[in-house]
Amino acid sequence: MCKKVRLSVCTLFLLLISCGEIATSEQSITEVLKPPVQQAVGFDGEVIRLGVLADLTGPGANLDRARLAGIETFWAEVNKTGGIGKRVLVELLSADHQGEPTAAAIEAFSLAESVVSFAFISEVAAGAAYPILVNENILAVSPTSTLDWESDPRFLTHSVPVEIMMLTLFESFPKAKWCVLADRSPLGANVAASVEVAEELSDLKERVLVIEPSVKSKEILTIDRCSHLFVELAEGRHQEELAELSYDGLIFKRAASVGGGESELRAQEIVIDLTPEWRVDSAVGMREFMTALIRHTPDARADSRLRDGYVSQIRLYDILERAFTSGEVTRSRLRQIADDSGPVNMRSFVEDIDVINEPKVLPRAIGLFSSGGEEPDDRGWSRLQVVEPTENNVRGLVSRESRD
């Protein structure tokens, strides 16, 4: 028996020499003998396929194309360093739903036949694709977050839920006369619905006025009534009305609705974004991110939407690495890891995420940026401050929303 073992190792050693690859240690021989990872839908043993369900030609195309550029940059860098487990590459399969939920449902069903997970599902498509995620037991990355998406084990989020964002703003500026201009898009509806509870918990001095975009918006939005205005409008819809507003108060908006560049930010606008500034040394992950941009997307401008797409992939990458190491890259295994794995290193873009800790550790801090300043970053923005909600109020908000 011993002679047979020695013979097989010797034979392997000779084969490696003939191929120009000499195993120099017991560890390298063990690596060669490592059994293949189990194949499954979306993984053929050599390539892991991930789905992208985005609006590439419809009203939200500018936003989704920018985020997709960040997603492609992330996985191009992973593939350059050998792929998942340094052994298998990642391929993105994209489908364009053109901003139509019906088309999103059809495309999601088609993609589900070929992918192990969705690397991106846009906000418009989330509701339409959800039954497929449930039936096929598939994980999906959501580029933004609501309390529903954050608490749903099928979605991987990385940003502060819009409901908690509103609570944080109200807590940070309690004496302001707040108004909220929100449409009926998925995020707009969640923002509007969260106002009453957030207002109550933050003990605002003035009642919040919630406004739907219309021809009367300009008449309602006056500096006397609204000193601080939060805006949530889907790209391509009602944006012209916002541009025509002769409102002189402070305007707060998510960075995803602005893009990048100083020219796109008015003097009174304050942008809500991930906390790191756009500088190579502002966070651990920024150096890796900007290096990947230079390598794979050299013509890209400094755009928060692109960085958001990049950061959104970190949790999925961590899950795929753990699944590959376990020897099983299947949908059920990915779901299990997502539910049971410990902290995920988010590379200082946001707080490290830990869903098994009690209480769960999730992103809560937001950065507030404005145009110009003494030392603007590469977008032409300066960070005014980093703000976080109080823990008790977050628990109260989550509790109230879960009951509703």
Side-chain angles (χ1 to χ4, degrees):
M1 181 65 71
C2 292
K3 291 182 179 179
K4 289 183 179 179
V5 172
R6 291 194 187 98
L7 179 61
S8 62
V9 172
C10 290
T11 303
L12 174 62
F13 186 76
L14 291 172
L15 287 172
L16 289 174
I17 292 175
S18 67
C19 295
E21 299 180 16
I22 301 178
T24 58
S25 68
E26 182 179 343
Q27 181 180 2
S28 59
I29 294 176
T30 303
E31 186 65 28
V32 173
L33 292 173
K34 188 175 181 179
V37 179
Q38 177 181 337
Q39 297 183 26
V41 176
F43 176 53
D44 61 9
E46 297 181 356
V47 177
I48 293 173
R49 292 179 175 83
L50 306 174
V52 172
L53 189 57
D55 181 357
L56 302 177
T57 57
N62 288 336
L63 171 60
D64 278 6
R65 284 184 176 276
R67 296 190 291 198
L68 181 55
I71 294 168
E72 290 173 339
T73 299
F74 183 94
W75 293 111
E77 186 68 7
V78 169
N79 286 341
K80 183 183 182 300
T81 58
I84 299 298
K86 306 298 183 185
R87 289 177 62 187
V88 298
L89 301 181
V90 173
E91 179 184 355
L92 298 174
L93 303 182
S94 300
D96 178 14
H97 59 68
Q98 301 180 320
E100 295 294 334
T102 302
I106 295 171
E107 296 293 352
F109 183 81
S110 177
L111 281 174
E113 297 178 349
S114 306
V115 301
V116 71
S117 174
F118 281 94
F120 179 90
I121 291 184
S122 68
E123 296 86 347
V124 172
Y130 190 73
I132 292 145
L133 301 183
V134 174
N135 292 338
E136 301 295 333
N137 198 29
I138 305 178
L139 278 178
V141 173
S142 175
T144 50
S145 183
T146 67
L147 286 175
D148 282 344
W149 294 341
E150 183 183 76
S151 62
D152 194 311
R154 292 172 185 83
F155 286 113
L156 300 175
T157 61
H158 72 284
S159 58
V160 178
V162 292
E163 300 92 339
I164 293 179
M165 186 183 299
M166 298 308 302
L167 174 65
T168 306
L169 291 175
F170 292 170
E171 284 186 353
S172 302
F173 304 93
K175 297 180 180 179
K177 298 176 181 177
W178 277 101
C179 290
V180 173
L181 179 65
D183 59 15
R184 297 185 181 183
S185 64
L187 290 180
N190 278 80
V191 165
S194 70
V195 165
E196 183 178 353
V197 178
E199 176 186 31
E200 178 185 330
L201 291 170
S202 56
D203 196 25
L204 285 180
K205 305 303 180 186
E206 300 270 351
R207 294 296 302 274
V208 179
L209 179 63
V210 180
I211 308 163
E212 280 194 35
S214 70
V215 292
K216 295 183 179 180
S217 298
K218 288 182 282 188
E219 301 173 13
I220 299 172
L221 292 172
T222 64
I223 191 66
D224 292 334
R225 178 61 189 86
C226 309
S227 64
H228 292 50
L229 172 66
F230 179 83
V231 177
E232 182 57 59
L233 302 175
E235 184 186 27
R237 298 169 183 168
H238 313 300
Q239 292 291 345
E240 65 282 354
E241 296 172 16
L242 178 62
E244 294 172 2
L245 283 179
S246 57
Y247 170 74
D248 296 325
L250 293 176
I251 301 175
F252 294 75
K253 56 172 67 172
R254 293 182 306 107
S257 55
V258 210
E262 185 176 3
S263 61
E264 298 185 45
L265 212 57
R266 290 190 279 178
Q268 78 269 33
E269 289 182 333
I270 296 178
V271 177
I272 302 163
D273 197 9
L274 302 176
T275 57
E277 298 167 292
W278 196 290
R279 291 194 180 94
V280 69
D281 58 350
S282 65
V284 173
M286 280 300 293
R287 184 175 298 277
E288 299 172 5
F289 166 62
M290 295 182 79
T291 300
L293 275 185
I294 293 170
R295 187 175 286 140
H296 305 289
T297 321
D299 296 330
R301 62 188 298 190
D303 190 332
S304 300
R305 302 169 300 181
L306 190 154
R307 183 174 69 173
D308 232 22
Y310 179 95
V311 177
S312 73
Q313 302 304 294
I314 295 175
R315 289 184 70 185
L316 180 56
Y317 168 77
D318 180 82
I319 290 169
L320 287 172
E321 282 286 351
R322 297 187 195 211
F324 188 85
T325 301
S326 75
E328 182 184 349
V329 183
T330 62
R331 292 170 178 176
S332 58
R333 181 63 179 140
L334 266 56
R335 278 290 313 278
Q336 181 185 19
I337 294 172
D339 293 341
D340 300 335
S341 59
V344 178
N345 178 6
M346 297 301 293
R347 309 177 192 181
S348 298
F349 288 110
V350 297
E351 301 95 315
D352 289 348
I353 295 173
D354 190 348
V355 297
I356 63 173
N357 189 70
E358 286 298 337
K360 295 179 180 179
V361 181
L362 298 162
R364 294 294 179 253
I366 59 176
L368 301 181
F369 294 80
S370 66
S371 177
E374 293 184 1
E375 296 183 1
D377 64 16
D378 292 353
R379 298 169 297 186
W381 299 358
S382 293
R383 190 174 66 189
L384 302 174
Q385 60 185 125
V386 174
V387 292
E388 296 183 55
T390 58
E391 189 174 330
N392 284 340
N393 281 348
V394 170
R395 283 199 296 264
L397 179 64
V398 172
S399 176
R400 293 275 292 274
E401 292 287 338
S402 62
R403 287 202 304 267
D404 295 341

